């Protein structure tokens, strides 16, 4: 019996959607205000996923800009489907949701290559998905006003046709959302989430002989939930089903790895894999409707050998294009960085880290609780300017080590911001504008260290992990380890030069 461990995609990769072409499975996830948007991965065994690109990676494709939403704006809940060898990814940019202009799709023949420009659909609400029926009809399913609705879709004309029909309101849980439709043995199955994306999250199902209903609820609802269970993975929900070439069914869903009491999480909502069996024409998810962290199965669609997966990432900044691990905030409005000569140069503008803005910031996801990151920084700060290494939940919740100018001297500071509380915890004079910054994370603390010319590692200070969790200061996203430069009111006079970035999971 083979075993695998959940999550199968670690870090902030929520709202998974999956489809299959031949022996390859393709997975997309939400990306919120981060750019490039909608990461896409592929796998043959459903456990090991290779990140192959982003559906939204050209600046002219989509403008993700700051909004009045406190955080977690932008791209919510993509869905991916394949028809006649063309892939379609439909998604909401919630920033435009109120104008009913948030839902759009992009398509491609090559999921690892370029995706089309967005085709806006003018539909209401969030969490769109497509269903391609075997009779040739295509449908759009969406969520609006706590109801699931369907309408016909004309892919040739690239628009919604026909009227909008409400097909289900769920079983009475809050936030019925994330709908997907499947056809099996003459039934249309409608899979949704209820209970909200927090600890009451659950997956429910209904079925009908006609696509527009009436839908009858599954007698065993919720078909998947970890609510009220003492499990290492909580908040299980927002699922999508896929059948493999052997006729076995699987679901991907989101879940959180929590710690502390009451449970909290800092890595965002991650992607889980759930085996699904069918009994009496209803699906049985996971362990009698709940999700275990470790799963034994003989059915994975391709060979997998269990191994503990830990990232050991090094970026030497010698390539002219940053690799796909890096994200910035919002669609960049101007070029704020330069790389390729062994450094990453960040050109800080007038923004401050506590602004909600697309500033000189580049980060990688924190994907495990226990990690170590380090980077070398050379920066000559002028008045107001700063550059450094931050552990960043959002613009109001972050801890950072940064070089600043104080009383005519370059100093290394440790600062923490937790909501409106803001404190500089440490200040150390730095003789030659050069420092190595190190950050270690565990379930208790984020701990910063530094090295000056003599190479000796010294403690800068630490901050509690608990205050950089979704439950304290976040919403839909997880923490990023990021490099940044800020002019705090003016453009920085010189770039901050970062080199030799490492991120290692322990
Ligand atoms: C998404 C909704 C959800 O639109 O969270 O967990 C929202 N489910 O379906 C954002 O990720």
């Amino acid at each position: 019996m083979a075993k695998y461990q959940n999550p199968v995609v670690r870090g902030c990769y929520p709202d998974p959607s999956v489809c299959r072409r031949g022996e390859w499975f393709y997975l997309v996830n939400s990306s919120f205000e981060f750019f490039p948007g909608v990461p896409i991965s592929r796998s043959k065994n459903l456990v090991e996923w290779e990140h192959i690109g982003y559906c939204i990676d050209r600046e002219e494709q989509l403008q993700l800009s700051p909004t009045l939403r406190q955080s977690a704006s932008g791209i919510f809940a993509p869905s991916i489907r394949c028809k006649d060898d063309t892939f379609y990814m439909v998604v909401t940019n919630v920033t435009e949701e109120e104008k009913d202009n948030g839902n759009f799709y992009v398509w491609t023949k090559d999921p690892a290559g370029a995706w089309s420009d967005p085709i806006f659909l003018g539909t209401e609400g969030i969490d769109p998905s497509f269903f391609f029926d075997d009779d040739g009809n295509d449908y759009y399913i969406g969520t609006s006003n706590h109801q699931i609705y369907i309408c016909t879709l004309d892919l040739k004309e690239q628009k919604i046709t026909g009227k909008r029909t409400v097909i289900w309101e769920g079983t009475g849980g809050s936030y019925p959302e994330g709908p997907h439709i499947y056809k099996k043995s003459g039934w249309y199955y409608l899979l949704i989430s209820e209970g909200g994306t927090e600890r009451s999250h659950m997956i429910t199902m209904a079925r009908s002989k006609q696509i527009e209903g009436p839908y009858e609820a599954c007698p065993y609802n919720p078909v998947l939930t970890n609510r009220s269970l003492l499990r290492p993975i909580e908040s299980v929900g927002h699922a999508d089903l896929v059948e493999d070439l052997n006729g076995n069914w699987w679901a991907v869903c989101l879940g959180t790895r929590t710690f502390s009491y009451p449970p909290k999480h800092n890595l965002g909502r991650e992607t889980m894999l759930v085996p699904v069996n069918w009994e009496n024409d209803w699906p049985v998810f996971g362990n009698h409707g709940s999700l275990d962290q470790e799963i034994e199965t003989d059915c994975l669609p391709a060979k997998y050998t269990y191994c503990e997966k830990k990232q050991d990432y090094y970026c030497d900044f010698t390539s002219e294009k940053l690799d796909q691990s890096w994200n910035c905030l919002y669609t960049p409005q101007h070029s704020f960085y330069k790389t390729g000569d062994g450094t990453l140069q960040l050109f800080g503008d007038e923004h401050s880290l506590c602004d909600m803005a697309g500033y000189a910031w580049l980060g990688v996801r924190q994907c495990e609780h226990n990690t170590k990151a380090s980077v070398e920084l050379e920066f000559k700060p002028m008045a107001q300017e700063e550059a450094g290494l931050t552990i960043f939940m959002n613009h109001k919740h972050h801890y950072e080590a940064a070089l600043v100018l104080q009383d005519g001297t370059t100093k290394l500071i440790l600062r923490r911001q937790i909501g409106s509380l803001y404190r500089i915890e440490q200040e150390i004079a730095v003789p030659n504008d050069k420092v190595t910054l190190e950050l270690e994370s565990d379930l208790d603390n984020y701990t910063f260290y530094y090295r000056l010319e003599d190479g000796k590692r010294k403690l800068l200070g630490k901050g509690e992990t608990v205050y950089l969790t979704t439950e304290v200061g976040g919403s839909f996203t997880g923490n990023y380890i990021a490099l940044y430069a800020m002019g705090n009111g003016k453009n920085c006079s010189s770039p901050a030069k970062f080199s030799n970035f490492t991120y290692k999971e322990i």
Side-chain angles (χ1 to χ4, degrees):
M1 199 64 111
K3 68 171 181 182
Y4 71 87
Q5 195 93 29
N6 276 311
V8 290
V9 186
R10 297 166 302 127
C12 180
Y13 290 95
D15 308 324
S17 172
V18 65
C19 74
R20 180 177 62 78
R21 181 172 67 175
E23 56 186 349
W24 283 106
F25 297 89
Y26 294 88
L27 174 81
V28 286
N29 294 97
S30 296
S31 51
F32 308 96
E33 58 268 46
F34 300 97
F35 187 89
V38 191
I40 177 161
S41 311
R42 70 171 186 181
S43 174
K44 280 186 182 172
N45 59 24
L46 289 165
V47 175
E48 294 165 296
W49 290 93
E50 177 199 358
H51 182 193
I52 55 171
Y54 292 91
C55 301
I56 310 289
D57 62 354
R58 298 187 304 279
E59 282 144 40
E60 61 283 6
Q61 244 176 328
L62 192 74
Q63 284 302 312
L64 287 174
S65 39
T67 59
L68 294 177
R69 291 180 85 99
Q70 270 313 290
S71 79
S73 56
I75 297 291
F76 274 32
S79 175
I80 187 167
R81 293 291 181 262
C82 183
K83 178 181 175 164
D84 301 333
D85 276 341
T86 301
F87 290 83
Y88 298 87
M89 188 286 294
V90 60
V91 73
T92 315
N93 174 8
V94 289
T95 314
E96 301 292 325
E97 184 203 340
E98 279 104 47
K99 294 180 235 159
D100 288 344
N101 200 24
N103 294 310
F104 67 88
Y105 74 92
V106 290
W107 61 271
T108 188
K109 294 268 181 200
D110 172 15
W115 289 71
S116 74
D117 281 338
I119 296 141
F120 289 91
L121 294 168
T123 48
E124 279 173 44
I126 57 165
D127 294 3
S129 65
F130 285 170
F131 173 68
F132 305 136
D133 206 345
D134 51 15
D135 61 7
N137 289 316
D138 299 327
Y139 297 90
Y140 173 100
I141 310 122
T143 308
S144 176
N145 292 322
H146 310 288
Q147 294 172 320
I148 309 301
Y149 70 90
I150 193 167
C151 36
T152 45
L153 169 73
D154 186 331
L155 283 174
K156 276 206 187 83
E157 294 290 322
Q158 302 188 322
K159 63 177 194 200
I160 297 297
T161 53
K163 64 175 186 9
R164 170 186 180 287
T165 307
V166 171
I167 51 174
W168 205 33
E169 297 186 357
T171 62
S174 59
Y175 300 110
E177 61 189 10
H180 294 289
I181 285 182
Y182 316 88
K183 196 175 196 177
K184 185 178 181 297
S185 315
W187 288 102
Y188 292 98
Y189 288 92
L190 171 62
L191 183 76
I192 71 163
S193 287
E194 298 182 49
T197 198
E198 312 87 39
R199 295 174 66 205
S200 307
H201 216 189
M202 54 179 166
I203 306 288
T204 57
M205 192 167 236
R207 71 180 183 193
S208 172
K209 289 280 180 186
Q210 286 87 37
I211 191 152
E212 293 199 339
Y215 280 83
E216 54 162 306
C218 174
Y220 318 112
N221 275 326
V223 288
L224 178 68
T225 187
N226 275 12
R227 68 181 185 192
S228 304
L229 298 176
L230 260 185
R231 292 287 166 86
I233 293 170
E234 298 214 44
S235 306
V236 167
H238 201 108
D240 195 8
L241 282 166
V242 69
E243 185 183 10
D244 69 21
L245 279 174
N246 304 319
N248 293 315
W249 287 70
W250 302 89
V252 287
C253 68
L254 69 76
T256 55
R257 283 185 284 169
T258 53
F259 61 95
S260 163
Y261 185 84
K264 298 177 187 58
H265 68 286
N266 61 337
L267 305 179
R269 297 163 300 157
E270 308 177 273
T271 295
M272 314 288 164
L273 176 69
V274 196
V276 176
N277 292 305
W278 290 84
E279 285 173 20
N280 306 320
D281 285 331
W282 288 109
V284 179
F285 283 66
N287 181 359
H288 306 284
S290 70
L291 177 65
D292 293 329
Q293 183 155 34
E294 191 166 288
I295 293 181
E296 301 221 337
T297 173
D298 273 336
C299 300
L300 288 173
K303 194 171 166 356
Y304 169 70
T305 313
Y306 177 78
C307 60
E308 271 208 49
K309 217 172 148 196
K310 302 276 183 220
Q311 271 194 73
D312 191 349
Y313 173 73
Y314 169 61
C315 191
D316 61 7
F317 301 114
T318 51
S319 159
E320 267 179 30
K321 219 177 150 226
L322 276 180
D323 76 60
Q324 58 188 10
S325 310
W326 295 93
N327 288 168
C328 65
L329 281 157
Y330 310 106
T331 309
Q333 299 301 310
H334 55 87
S335 60
F336 64 85
Y337 73 92
K338 204 169 138 193
T339 186
D341 62 349
T343 63
L344 171 72
Q345 297 187 40
L346 286 180
F347 301 88
D349 63 15
E350 74 280 8
H351 286 111
S352 305
L353 205 49
C354 58
D355 294 340
M356 193 189 282
Y359 37 45
W361 180 106
L362 283 163
V364 298
R365 286 171 176 79
Q366 182 190 348
C367 298
E368 266 306 325
H369 293 120
N370 294 302
T371 68
K372 284 184 180 187
S374 72
V375 71
E376 290 165 28
L377 169 61
E378 184 179 349
F379 181 52
K380 189 171 177 37
M382 295 300 177
Q384 296 162 239
E385 302 174 3
E386 64 176 272
L389 172 70
T390 180
I391 176 74
F392 187 93
M393 168 141 271
N394 52 47
H395 64 294
K396 284 217 171 130
H397 298 84
H398 44 88
Y399 306 159
E400 51 273 345
L403 289 182
V404 301
L405 186 73
Q406 265 176 17
D407 311 323
T409 311
T410 299
K411 287 193 179 159
L412 173 65
I413 60 161
L414 172 68
R415 182 178 51 214
R416 297 206 285 154
Q417 180 171 357
I418 303 167
S420 55
L421 299 176
Y422 185 93
R423 200 166 109 112
I424 292 180
E425 312 253 355
Q426 182 64 282
E427 292 174 14
I428 283 149
V430 173
N432 59 1
D433 309 317
K434 277 189 195 162
V435 64
T436 300
L437 301 173
E438 299 182 7
L439 168 65
E440 290 189 10
S441 67
D442 57 33
L443 294 179
D444 299 317
N445 290 298
Y446 286 107
T447 309
F448 286 88
Y449 299 89
Y450 67 100
R451 294 174 204 262
L452 299 177
E453 263 174 322
D454 62 5
K456 279 198 194 125
R457 184 186 205 235
K458 292 190 183 132
L459 178 70
L460 183 64
K462 57 187 170 187
E464 299 88 336
T465 303
V466 123
Y467 297 128
L468 294 189
T469 55
T470 293
E471 287 72 11
V472 172
S475 60
F476 292 137
T477 58
N479 288 353
Y480 271 73
I481 295 165
L483 312 176
Y484 76 94
M486 303 284 149
N488 295 311
K490 62 176 185 58
N491 287 338
C492 283
S493 8
S494 62
K497 291 185 183 171
F498 295 89
S499 51
N500 294 313
F501 177 81
T502 64
Y503 165 77
K504 203 180 163 93
E505 295 166 356
I506 331 158

